[in-house]
Amino acid sequence: MSENGQENKTIELPVSITVRELAQTLEASPIEVIKTLMANGMMANINQEIDFDTAAIVSAEMGFEAVPIQVVEEEAIEEVEVPLWRKKLEEEDLSQLERRPPVVAILGHVDHGKTSLLDAIRDTSVAAGEAGGITQHIGAYQIEHKGRTITFLDTPGHAAFTAMRARGAQGADIVILVVAADDGVMPQTEEAIAHSRAAQVAMIVALNKIDKDNAAPEQVKQQLADIGIVPDDWDGDTIFVPLSATEKIGLEDLLEAILLVADDLEILANPQGEVFGTVIEAELTKGRGVMATLLVQNGTLRTGDTVLAGNSYGRIKAMFDYTGAKITEAGPSVPVSVMGLSDVPKAGELFNVVESEKAAREIIDNRQLEAGRKEADAESAASLEQLFARVQAGEEDELRLIIKADVQGSLEPIVSSVKDLKSGGEQNIGVKVIHAATGRITNDDVMLASATKSIIIGFNVDPDNAAKRLADSEGISIRKYKIIYHLIEDIEKALQGMLEPVEKKILIGRAQVLKVFPSGKYDQVAGCRVESGEIRRNAKIRVLREGKIAFEGGIASLKRHQDDVNEVREGFECGVGLKGFSDFQEGDILESYVIEMVSAV
Ligand code: GDP
């Protein structure tokens, strides 16, 4: 970059600057800067602060004249992953919103006492409140405390709970993070924190097992404070409640804390509004068909309503509350077990009430088509290249990473190196570290990546087999590195758009097969109507059937009546023959697309 013999360009530098920032200012790679420093007898890593004089020497060697300025603080990047129901709530009429009971999820490391705590809360309150206290397990329950209702999600042992956790404790307003005071912060504690942060859920820390001799609550507080969860009595903003689930100590305090946080949060819904919420759990039962527990988050759900959740739908034949009692309506924050859905919906999925079963089927068909197309474009996959392409398209404003490393000693420098990386330029895309921990890459990491559209970086660690399979099926990219510089270089390249260009399929039209005709030359041709855009002779076609791709390839013949044509527009009918495919069925969708190389620059 140095232009010997020519006058140097002037740049402004602060009194102190990191190697990386200097590289950015000089529009050089950090490696170049480090090499120049080494040539001048100074060993420095990418995060090292160097003083103005040293930076000026490097700048001069690279063709710039440095003059001093003041440091300007960078702005923090905002969180973006908000659960769908919250976004839907924003569409509600503000004047109609009323307070609703808080919904609480209990998260934490295995064996730290989640189940014991849920049982303890349920036992104490149910025994006090209800005759007989018979409770059905429907994955959620409600209690009364000081005349106010609190809804608890109660699914920790359930397989679906992992998925739910990964979707950011979806339905919850408040997360209770259970940390055993005799064990401290463990990997799943950190994951739970990452999930809660990603879902923007308020958090209360329950320091459990304080009855044990080796409980060290102060030490655990320190551990949590070190990772940014600072107790309120240390001037932080998280309430810590010491308790014992088995000895039933501190439970009142916890309930009190929940109400306090709930009052702060303004937890609202419109009981008369659009009906929607989150699927808590669901299963196929012998006598009753599909039973699904739904948490209503807005509106009022009634028997006879038609519910749509993912690909499952149906009219509600009967509803039951958590005690097993039959009810006919459920308002905001009420968990209900409903009977009448066609399939088992997934936990964590959003549900809503639609007009009719026909309307539900139409929505599902359209979604499947969309999903089929997405699959074809592999756009849902979070590879570094694709993520970057999305960033370029303005769909993302940051690169999100989940970092796993073999030892803490590697993790720290990696996190501190990547977290301040910026693309520069107008968009100035940054990096956000969603989660960083030591250990192998697990299913939970992949699910977190899927929920937050992040990519996973493994430093000297591999995914376990289950995680590898899940990553393949979810289209999550796992990039492995052994050398920190390589890792940083890749992220920098991604940010600056120097990665290889990616292929992008651009949809130009869509036609529906109305009739299938025999044809001498190509076995069968499809008689279609173009529903949108156009079908182009020299573009590619993919055949979608029930949302899946049945074939992809080129056109052999495109005719209007008997004439060969180059394109057919929306609203017109045409005959299509494909190269290497003639197994058309009525109702198939033909999509016409062109392939473009989208430069990542
Ligand atoms: P989970 O895996 O987080 O749901 O944990 P569990 O609720 O199953 O608890 C794990 C173990 O810790 C069980 O043996 C509990 O009896 C025990 N445990 C839970 N809470 C307490 C507590 O407050 N004090 C003591 N001493 N043991 C507890």
Side-chain angles (χ1 to χ4, degrees):
M1 195 175 276
S2 160
E3 295 167 275
N4 287 340
Q6 294 190 11
E7 203 166 290
N8 285 352
K9 275 188 264 172
T10 308
I11 50 159
E12 294 184 326
L13 291 181
V15 284
S16 159
I17 189 168
T18 66
V19 169
R20 180 188 308 106
E21 286 160 353
L22 179 61
Q24 273 169 358
T25 315
L26 297 173
E27 292 177 354
S29 87
I31 312 292
E32 257 180 275
V33 173
I34 290 168
K35 280 190 192 151
T36 313
L37 281 164
M38 278 165 68
N40 284 283
M42 183 172 169
M43 302 296 287
N45 69 33
I46 192 159
N47 289 312
Q48 197 153 329
E49 293 271 353
I50 53 175
D51 60 22
F52 175 84
D53 290 344
T54 314
I57 295 171
V58 174
S59 305
E61 294 220 353
M62 294 187 152
F64 293 87
E65 188 190 339
V67 295
I69 52 148
Q70 292 298 107
V71 194
V72 180
E73 284 287 316
E74 296 274 5
E75 270 178 41
I77 307 161
E78 287 290 306
E79 286 273 5
V80 289
E81 283 305 315
V82 181
L84 267 177
W85 64 268
R86 283 185 203 233
K87 289 187 185 150
K88 279 178 80 74
L89 200 59
E90 284 169 10
E91 293 160 17
E92 284 293 324
D93 181 355
L94 277 180
S95 67
Q96 302 276 316
L97 295 183
E98 293 175 16
R99 275 186 180 261
R100 61 174 174 82
V103 177
V104 180
I106 299 195
L107 304 183
H109 194 70
V110 64
D111 278 347
H112 278 199
K114 298 180 290 292
T115 318
S116 308
L117 183 56
L118 277 161
D119 289 348
I121 294 169
R122 188 207 304 246
D123 290 349
T124 347
S125 331
V126 168
E130 272 166 56
I134 308 156
T135 54
Q136 302 270 318
H137 182 89
I138 66 164
Y141 63 80
Q142 291 192 302
I143 62 146
E144 296 283 324
H145 182 69
K146 300 218 166 133
R148 293 172 61 184
T149 308
I150 305 172
T151 303
F152 283 90
L153 302 181
D154 178 16
T155 53
H158 202 278
F161 191 65
T162 327
M164 227 187 95
R165 244 182 18 203
R167 292 184 186 105
Q170 277 282 9
D173 304 299
I174 299 171
V175 159
I176 308 281
L177 180 70
V178 177
V179 190
D182 62 338
D183 202 23
V185 172
M186 298 300 278
Q188 284 170 282
T189 317
E190 292 194 50
E191 259 165 40
I193 293 169
H195 285 308
S196 310
R197 280 182 173 154
Q200 297 186 2
V201 189
M203 190 190 286
I204 295 171
V205 173
L207 288 174
N208 192 27
K209 307 200 187 182
I210 48 150
D211 58 298
K212 290 183 94 168
D213 290 342
N214 57 345
E218 290 303 306
Q219 250 165 288
V220 180
K221 272 183 170 176
Q222 186 60 55
Q223 281 184 328
L224 283 159
D226 287 345
I227 52 176
I229 311 288
V230 185
D232 55 351
D233 53 355
W234 292 5
D235 276 346
D237 48 18
T238 309
I239 301 182
F240 279 49
V241 182
L243 53 85
S244 163
T246 47
E247 301 304 312
K248 302 205 164 41
I249 305 168
L251 299 181
E252 284 270 319
D253 296 340
L254 181 66
L255 298 178
E256 206 61 27
I258 291 171
L259 293 180
L260 214 72
V261 172
D263 286 339
D264 244 23
L265 288 177
E266 295 245 308
I267 298 166
L268 305 171
N270 176 5
Q272 267 73 51
E274 192 194 338
V275 189
F276 59 84
T278 301
V279 177
I280 302 301
E281 62 173 40
E283 58 172 355
L284 189 60
T285 63
K286 274 215 172 120
R288 293 173 151 188
V290 174
M291 292 300 297
T293 299
L294 308 180
L295 173 72
V296 180
Q297 282 161 309
N298 199 59
T300 301
L301 185 67
R302 296 190 170 84
T303 312
D305 282 349
T306 303
V307 165
L308 171 67
N311 289 335
S312 168
Y313 65 95
R315 268 192 77 218
I316 298 179
K317 291 189 203 143
M319 307 204 293
F320 306 89
D321 69 8
Y322 69 94
T323 67
K326 204 164 184 173
I327 50 173
T328 53
E329 57 174 53
S333 294
V334 176
V336 273
S337 173
V338 308
M339 200 172 128
L341 290 185
S342 57
D343 297 290
V344 181
K346 279 192 217 133
E349 213 150 37
L350 185 86
F351 80 84
N352 61 320
V353 165
V354 294
E355 217 165 85
S356 62
E357 294 193 89
K358 183 165 171 274
R361 274 193 298 273
E362 274 170 16
I363 296 170
I364 292 173
D365 283 351
N366 281 335
R367 270 198 216 140
Q368 280 180 341
L369 278 178
E370 194 61 23
R373 214 150 54 70
K374 279 238 174 84
E375 203 176 292
D377 294 347
E379 270 180 358
S380 58
S383 74
L384 201 49
E385 293 82 352
Q386 284 152 348
L387 213 52
F388 188 76
R390 287 212 301 269
V391 168
Q392 288 289 296
E395 292 167 28
E396 301 280 344
D397 52 7
E398 61 188 12
L399 279 180
R400 286 184 287 275
L401 305 179
I402 288 169
I403 303 173
K404 294 302 280 277
D406 51 348
V407 290
Q408 197 66 26
S410 323
L411 192 63
E412 276 161 12
I414 292 171
V415 172
S416 61
S417 300
V418 301
K419 80 178 183 356
D420 300 329
L421 291 178
K422 287 248 158 57
S423 66
E426 210 176 293
Q427 278 175 291
N428 208 16
I429 299 146
V431 170
K432 174 162 206 107
V433 178
I434 296 284
H435 177 54
T438 52
R440 296 189 79 180
I441 297 162
T442 63
N443 256 351
D444 284 344
D445 295 321
V446 177
M447 249 153 346
L448 181 61
S450 171
T452 56
K453 292 208 210 85
S454 308
I455 56 164
I456 300 175
I457 303 283
F459 188 77
N460 279 329
V461 291
D462 290 313
D464 59 33
N465 284 336
K468 214 182 282 171
R469 275 197 303 275
L470 187 68
D472 283 347
S473 72
E474 294 271 311
I476 297 300
S477 167
I478 298 179
R479 293 175 84 102
K480 291 186 285 179
Y481 296 90
K482 289 191 184 317
I483 296 169
I484 297 188
Y485 278 151
H486 290 170
L487 189 165
I488 292 164
E489 266 186 342
D490 264 14
I491 304 290
E492 281 191 322
K493 278 187 196 161
L495 284 171
Q496 282 156 21
M498 280 147 43
L499 286 173
E500 292 295 298
V502 289
E503 234 182 44
K504 198 166 161 74
K505 294 172 180 171
I506 315 278
L507 184 70
I508 55 170
R510 180 188 268 223
Q512 184 162 27
V513 177
L514 304 176
K515 218 163 170 26
V516 183
F517 299 100
S519 153
K521 210 164 155 200
Y522 306 104
D523 303 336
Q524 295 195 99
V525 295
C528 312
R529 178 182 301 115
V530 182
E531 292 185 329
S532 62
E534 60 182 30
I535 303 293
R536 228 180 270 165
R537 172 76 178 77
N538 57 4
K540 299 261 183 236
I541 288 278
R542 65 185 159 222
V543 181
L544 297 178
R545 186 172 300 158
E546 285 161 9
K548 296 215 168 67
I549 297 167
F551 176 77
E552 275 190 279
I555 292 188
S557 74
L558 181 65
K559 286 185 194 263
R560 280 271 304 142
H561 306 295
Q562 297 311 315
D563 304 329
D564 284 311
V565 290
N566 285 329
E567 73 219 359
V568 181
R569 297 249 166 85
E570 182 178 328
F572 292 96
E573 294 191 356
C574 59
V576 179
L578 295 181
K579 292 175 186 161
F581 180 87
S582 69
D583 181 27
F584 296 106
Q585 286 179 14
E586 279 175 29
D588 283 353
I589 300 290
L590 304 190
E591 288 190 336
S592 178
Y593 66 89
V594 290
I595 293 178
E596 277 180 17
M597 296 303 283
V598 181
S599 162
V601 182

